[in-house]
Amino acid sequence: MKAELITVGTEILTGQITNTNAQFLSEEFAKLGIDVFFQTTVGDNEERLLSVIDLASQRSDLIVLCGGLGPTEDDLTKQTLAKYLKRDLVINEEANQRLNDYFATHPQFVRTANNDRQAQLIEGATPLQNITGLAVGGLVTVDGVTYVVLPGPPSELKPMVLNELVPLLSGHNERLYSRVLRFFGIGESQLVTVLSDLIDNQTDPTIAPYAKTGEVTLRLSTKAADEAAAKVKLDQLEQAILAKSTLDNVPLSELLYGYGDDNSLARVVFQLLKEHHKTITAAESLTAGLFQSTIADFSGASSVFNGGFVTYSMEEKSKLLHIPLEDLQEHGVVSHFTAEKMAEQSRLLTGADIGIGLTGVAGPDSLEGHPAGTIFIGISTKDDCRSIHLHIGGKSRSDVRHIATLYAFNLVRQALLDI
């Protein structure tokens, strides 16, 4: 089924209000397996609205008109659609009774003749009752095309769609099912290159990559009669993706860290720490506590995190972490040595199972001859202490700090998976 959304309202064209209804409807239709191919906004003008409806009826099976169901003369959606379909408007008794009840309980308002417009329905249409407002919606099929009229206010449209429209449309054979794969350690361009054969030849399921700061997600989508059938198709595609390797031969399966829209690398690490009954601490310089505050954002953080250190200057690193000042002066703040010592000493001083050390140059200026974006991250456990060196070029100060924090979480994730 090919759907088209027509939003009616001059106030949208002039930017006075934001069209959130189109996004909501597109998301709900996608769940039903209904493809939205076109979205149009038209002002409160009968001639232009007629032309838009005529064009939509030539290319779409389902046409949804939002807005223009009120009592005033510029609320002309139902009237214009009725004119296009050459059908009369009739009073829907349930909607009319709701109007009567409303004015009976609100004596400060007087019902006038134009309020009847809110209870009108195109002849032969199925009413879509409005539980949060007064204007009735409707659904009518003419010459193989289904037309739907909905109110404009989201507080009225959303309940009408969920309670009234979706049950009428849910008889559609297939629904859309999606799965989000989250990767860290590979950029979008390389991931798309690695998966080019799958992407170029995709039909159903489909692959949609999305780049975020420091990570990439893939949304796998398929249409299926039920969740079980969708799972089979999505599982097959995921297996094909994870069988690939990066350009330097790192299996994508090692870079996949989780699933879902609302997941994050930090959340995955937090759950792994709880599952393995491990505690963590950190000593941070360039990230200024971002790693620790991210952990502390999760409910129950005290079960894995008791505290840590933020040590910006060399002197504070020496004093708080008990690292000899002459050693820091010899190796420099921005170094493998300092990152490892920060990780090790924070772990020993707090008694945590894992210690992280973050040092480097967030920018925009250089430090100790190192350019902005230079990062050293240390990780310490009772059996191992090591560090990685990164250079994140072309990023803002906040992005460098954010990406450094992600790399730190990924180090912890890898360490926990090796337990």
Side-chain angles (χ1 to χ4, degrees):
M1 180 179 286
K2 295 181 292 184
E4 182 157 349
L5 307 181
I6 300 174
T7 306
V8 183
T10 302
E11 65 276 14
I12 297 175
L13 290 175
T14 58
Q16 293 174 279
I17 65 172
T18 302
N19 181 13
T20 59
N21 289 335
Q23 178 184 2
F24 170 75
L25 287 167
S26 294
E27 290 174 347
E28 291 304 315
F29 287 171
K31 296 174 186 177
L32 297 173
I34 298 173
D35 298 311
V36 176
F37 286 167
F38 302 97
Q39 295 184 11
T40 305
T41 300
V42 61
D44 302 310
N45 179 279
E46 182 183 279
E47 183 180 348
R48 289 192 286 273
L49 181 53
L50 280 171
S51 68
V52 169
I53 294 172
D54 184 54
L55 177 61
S57 67
Q58 297 173 42
R59 63 190 184 187
S60 301
D61 308 308
L62 173 64
I63 300 170
V64 181
L65 297 99
C66 309
L69 305 191
T72 62
E73 288 301 316
D74 62 348
D75 292 313
L76 44 74
T77 300
K78 279 186 286 192
Q79 290 74 14
T80 305
L81 180 59
K83 181 177 181 178
Y84 178 78
L85 297 177
K86 297 180 173 59
R87 294 199 176 191
D88 293 330
L89 286 168
V90 297
I91 294 293
N92 175 257
E93 289 305 323
E94 185 175 345
N96 192 53
Q97 186 59 51
R98 182 173 288 109
L99 279 166
N100 289 335
D101 293 342
Y102 175 81
F103 285 101
T105 56
H106 295 77
Q108 68 272 33
F109 301 119
V110 178
R111 178 169 178 172
T112 56
N114 59 358
N115 287 119
D116 291 347
R117 297 163 67 98
Q118 295 172 283
Q120 287 178 336
L121 195 64
I122 293 174
E123 187 178 16
T126 300
L128 304 175
Q129 297 300 338
N130 191 338
I131 62 172
T132 56
L134 298 176
V136 66
L139 178 151
V140 63
T141 301
V142 179
D143 296 330
V145 179
T146 298
Y147 301 86
V148 175
V149 291
L150 300 171
S155 61
E156 298 180 29
L157 179 141
K158 290 182 178 181
M160 185 180 290
V161 169
L162 296 176
N163 299 330
E164 301 280 328
L165 182 59
V166 167
L168 293 177
L169 298 178
S170 60
H172 192 67
N173 288 331
E174 295 186 323
R175 298 185 64 176
L176 187 72
Y177 295 87
S178 296
R179 178 182 301 174
V180 174
L181 279 58
R182 308 186 72 95
F183 294 87
F184 182 80
I186 186 171
E188 182 186 23
S189 59
Q190 184 182 167
L191 185 57
V192 168
T193 300
V194 168
L195 301 177
S196 59
D197 59 328
L198 296 177
I199 293 173
D200 292 344
N201 298 312
Q202 65 181 330
T203 52
D204 179 45
T206 59
I207 305 172
Y210 298 93
K212 300 187 175 182
T213 304
E215 63 175 302
V216 184
T217 63
L218 293 178
R219 181 177 295 276
L220 316 184
S221 301
T222 186
K223 290 181 180 178
D226 54 46
E227 189 172 355
K231 183 177 184 302
V232 171
K233 292 197 285 184
L234 294 176
D235 283 349
Q236 290 175 345
L237 180 56
E238 180 180 336
Q239 290 167 10
I241 290 170
L242 298 185
K244 303 281 188 179
S245 296
T246 66
L247 301 180
D248 50 357
N249 295 320
V250 177
L252 290 186
S253 57
E254 294 184 10
L255 304 180
L256 175 73
Y257 77 79
Y259 299 85
D261 279 316
D262 58 351
N263 206 352
S264 69
L265 195 50
R267 184 179 296 278
V268 168
V269 169
F270 177 67
Q271 293 298 330
L272 285 172
L273 286 167
K274 292 205 300 183
E275 290 171 13
H276 289 285
H277 304 289
K278 299 294 183 182
T279 56
I280 193 167
T281 188
E284 301 180 62
S285 183
L286 86 155
T287 46
L290 183 58
F291 180 90
Q292 296 167 74
S293 67
T294 303
I295 281 285
D297 277 341
F298 299 111
S299 176
S302 60
S303 64
V304 302
F305 172 66
N306 291 326
F309 306 85
V310 176
T311 55
Y312 240 59
S313 71
M314 184 179 292
E315 290 73 20
E316 289 302 305
K317 288 178 176 64
S318 176
K319 182 171 65 175
L320 295 179
L321 296 171
H322 302 176
I323 305 172
L325 184 59
E326 57 270 23
D327 289 346
L328 292 172
Q329 292 171 334
E330 177 186 351
H331 295 280
V333 167
V334 186
S335 64
H336 282 289
F337 171 84
T338 300
E340 291 172 14
K341 278 298 180 182
M342 290 172 70
E344 183 178 48
Q345 288 301 105
S346 64
R347 180 181 66 83
L348 293 173
L349 290 168
T350 62
D353 297 304
I354 301 172
I356 288 291
L358 284 145
T359 186
V361 189
D365 300 323
S366 60
L367 178 65
E368 298 179 346
H370 297 284
T374 303
I375 297 169
F376 289 88
I377 306 174
I379 181 169
S380 172
T381 65
K382 68 176 182 178
D383 300 316
D384 183 36
C385 186
R386 55 192 173 83
S387 59
I388 62 172
H389 174 207
L390 307 166
H391 182 72
I392 303 170
K395 300 292 185 182
S396 68
R397 181 178 175 85
S398 60
D399 281 351
V400 169
R401 297 171 68 241
H402 175 71
I403 294 170
T405 301
L406 290 178
Y407 271 97
F409 276 115
N410 198 52
L411 276 180
V412 179
R413 181 182 72 90
Q414 291 170 332
L416 291 169
L417 291 176
D418 289 337
I419 293 177

